[in-house]
Amino acid sequence: MKKTLLTGAATLALLAGAAQAQDLAGQQLTIAGPWIGADQEMVEKVLAIFEEKTGADVRYVGSDSFEQQIMIDAESGSAPNVAVFPQPGLAADMAKRGFLTPLPEGTEEWVKENYAAGQSWIDLGTYTGPDGNDALYGFFYKVDLKSLVWYVPETFEDAGYDIPTSMEELKALTDQIVADGETPWCIGLGSGGATGWPATDWVEDLLLRTQTPDVYDGWVDNSIPFNDPRIVEAITEFGWFARNDAYVSGGAGAVASTDFRDSPKGLFTSPPQCYMHRQASFIPAFFPEGTVVGEDADFFYFPSYAEKDLGKPVLGAGTLWAITNDSPAAQEFIKFLETPEAHEAWMSQSGFLTPHKGVDASKFGDAPTAAMNEILLNATTFRFDGSDLMPGGVGAGSFWTEMVNYAGGKSAEDVADDIQASWDALK
């Protein structure tokens, strides 16, 4: 990919950082986040660049109980300057309580201009403050991608199958594989105490492919009830794939009982037990040992309907950075996150995706990650994992269990009614 020239805003941000380097010398910038272990080592390499550019003393503290710790620190008046939130919900709660500071003036315009699906990222980072007014509080940096279908190139090539570019083509390919005497999909919902969550991702992706983004947003905050016909339709769309014995390895009855970590293994058997597996960017961790992504296994974008004209929606997750204890260094750090260099520093390591249109794709550590990022950059809409934004009793409770019941034969209408009832009980 050709390197994209910096926008005027990004260039000014770089110059501003250089000009103010002396101003931050001796100032301490504290950052708290969820990354520990290898991820902490990678983010600290990014932070070292900011230190070098500004002279600030940057100190990062990672915690596997970040969500609890940041609230304790904020309530006790000892919050770090900047916090890295894995989910928007907690950040929104803290903004409403006055624990967050709006991002620097001009950040919203920068995101809209420089991020693919920029308005989506603005919407995800905009919350209501204690004064009742909305402001941009969250800057997204490091994104995860869920809208992927995994396959084995060799089996596709042997069968003469092409990569589908629309949902219509994906469904036609599903039927073609069955007509050829094979099984198209591997699907597993098992995950111990979290059994059912893979089905919620399916429903979220399919809702974005059957309805406009505002319907998705209304569903997530329950201003559109779970048993609205449009939501029921998305659940039924999942059933088109998962409740047909001919479509799923082991038959529809195996969907709920198959562990999600085991479900992609059917792609690699000889002969293959299935040809496709829809799952997020992390799933290669559960592929057979030695599998090389880009060669032994590959992926394509879980496509949208051509006839519905809803663009190219992408489902995912990601971390947002917010100012929890304002300071000149915190303000300057947010501007640093706008620079391609801040993104490329983690891109060159591993496990990093970004919607920043100004980065040099050649800086990615491997070709498959660069290809995933291209899907992100082509997105017209990005939406955060819906179940993660819902109340825990629903998003990590009834939604999971009722999708297992749906896979087992319960009607979509009854499933939606029962999930809505559980939500009503929490109000």
Side-chain angles (χ1 to χ4, degrees):
M1 177 185 288
K2 184 172 67 176
K3 184 171 181 178
T4 305
L5 294 176
L6 294 181
T7 64
T11 302
L12 288 174
L14 279 170
L15 293 173
Q20 296 179 25
Q22 293 304 314
D23 295 341
L24 298 183
Q27 293 189 36
Q28 187 176 104
L29 176 68
T30 54
I31 300 177
W35 296 309
I36 56 177
D39 282 339
Q40 177 167 340
E41 293 176 11
M42 286 188 275
V43 74
E44 285 177 342
K45 290 180 181 178
V46 178
L47 301 181
I49 295 173
F50 181 73
E51 278 191 317
E52 183 179 351
K53 282 185 170 295
T54 65
D57 174 19
V58 182
R59 303 188 181 186
Y60 172 82
V61 176
S63 172
D64 57 5
S65 56
F66 164 81
E67 290 88 347
Q68 292 77 28
Q69 190 61 48
I70 190 62
M71 188 60 76
I72 292 171
D73 291 345
E75 290 176 340
S76 65
S78 58
N81 298 116
V82 174
V84 186
F85 292 85
Q87 296 177 3
L90 178 57
D93 290 343
M94 290 186 64
K96 191 171 185 178
R97 295 181 61 184
F99 290 139
L100 301 187
T101 299
L103 298 184
E105 187 175 350
T107 305
E108 181 171 335
E109 291 75 13
W110 184 92
V111 172
K112 192 167 187 176
E113 179 184 346
N114 291 278
Y115 268 18
Q119 188 61 49
S120 294
W121 299 105
I122 293 168
D123 294 344
L124 283 167
T126 298
Y127 315 122
T128 303
D131 58 359
N133 295 321
D134 290 346
L136 182 64
Y137 287 94
F139 188 101
F140 277 85
Y141 172 94
K142 192 177 186 298
V143 178
D144 300 314
L145 183 60
K146 296 194 174 216
S147 303
L148 300 174
V149 178
W150 295 86
Y151 72 105
V152 173
E154 184 179 357
T155 59
F156 260 55
E157 184 178 346
D158 289 346
Y161 298 145
D162 295 324
I163 301 301
T165 59
S166 68
M167 185 60 72
E168 290 90 343
E169 290 182 3
L170 180 63
K171 288 188 169 183
L173 175 59
T174 297
D175 287 329
Q176 181 61 53
I177 293 172
V178 172
D180 292 341
E182 304 290 341
T183 305
W185 293 93
C186 281
I187 303 174
L189 306 187
S191 185
T195 291
W197 74 258
T200 69
D201 284 359
W202 272 90
V203 173
E204 289 155 6
D205 247 337
L206 290 165
L207 183 58
L208 289 172
R209 282 150 183 76
T210 53
Q211 302 296 332
T212 54
D214 61 301
V215 174
Y216 185 93
D217 297 338
W219 171 62
V220 166
D221 68 16
N222 206 223
S223 58
I224 294 176
F226 222 107
N227 51 3
D228 183 279
R230 294 167 291 185
I231 313 306
V232 173
E233 179 190 354
I235 297 173
T236 305
E237 280 277 289
F238 169 59
W240 188 92
F241 294 93
R243 300 216 319 186
N244 187 322
D245 286 332
Y247 287 175
V248 187
S249 178
V255 169
S257 59
T258 301
D259 193 286
F260 85 93
R261 289 157 284 213
D262 295 329
S263 56
K265 293 176 181 175
L267 294 170
F268 303 98
T269 59
S270 184
Q273 295 174 14
C274 62
Y275 281 74
M276 294 179 286
H277 183 262
R278 187 227 150 275
Q279 190 49 273
S281 52
F282 68 81
I283 199 61
F286 303 103
F287 288 171
E289 188 175 351
T291 300
V292 178
V293 175
E295 297 177 17
D296 307 316
D298 212 338
F299 55 86
F300 57 86
Y301 168 66
F302 187 54
S304 54
Y305 279 99
E307 66 178 23
K308 292 185 182 292
D309 195 28
L310 290 172
K312 291 188 174 181
V314 164
L315 177 71
T319 54
L320 65 95
W321 300 57
I323 298 173
T324 41
N325 186 0
D326 198 14
S327 72
Q331 294 276 325
E332 194 62 33
F333 181 75
I334 297 299
K335 295 177 184 177
F336 168 70
L337 291 180
E338 295 178 354
T339 67
E341 186 178 15
H343 298 248
E344 292 166 359
W346 199 327
M347 283 165 52
S348 62
Q349 300 179 76
S350 68
F352 185 88
L353 299 175
T354 175
H356 196 319
K357 295 184 289 187
V359 299
D360 179 359
S362 70
K363 298 289 179 67
F364 278 107
D366 60 82
T369 304
M372 283 185 195
N373 208 77
E374 192 66 22
I375 291 173
L376 193 61
L377 292 180
N378 286 332
T380 56
T381 299
F382 183 96
R383 283 298 183 268
F384 206 92
D385 183 307
S387 61
D388 283 347
L389 303 178
M390 296 173 183
V394 177
S398 59
F399 195 4
W400 288 353
T401 56
E402 286 301 322
M403 289 312 300
V404 172
N405 292 337
Y406 177 67
K410 188 172 179 177
S411 75
E413 291 80 5
D414 286 345
V415 161
D417 284 342
D418 287 346
I419 297 174
Q420 183 57 45
S422 75
W423 203 324
D424 291 339
L426 296 173
K427 295 177 179 178

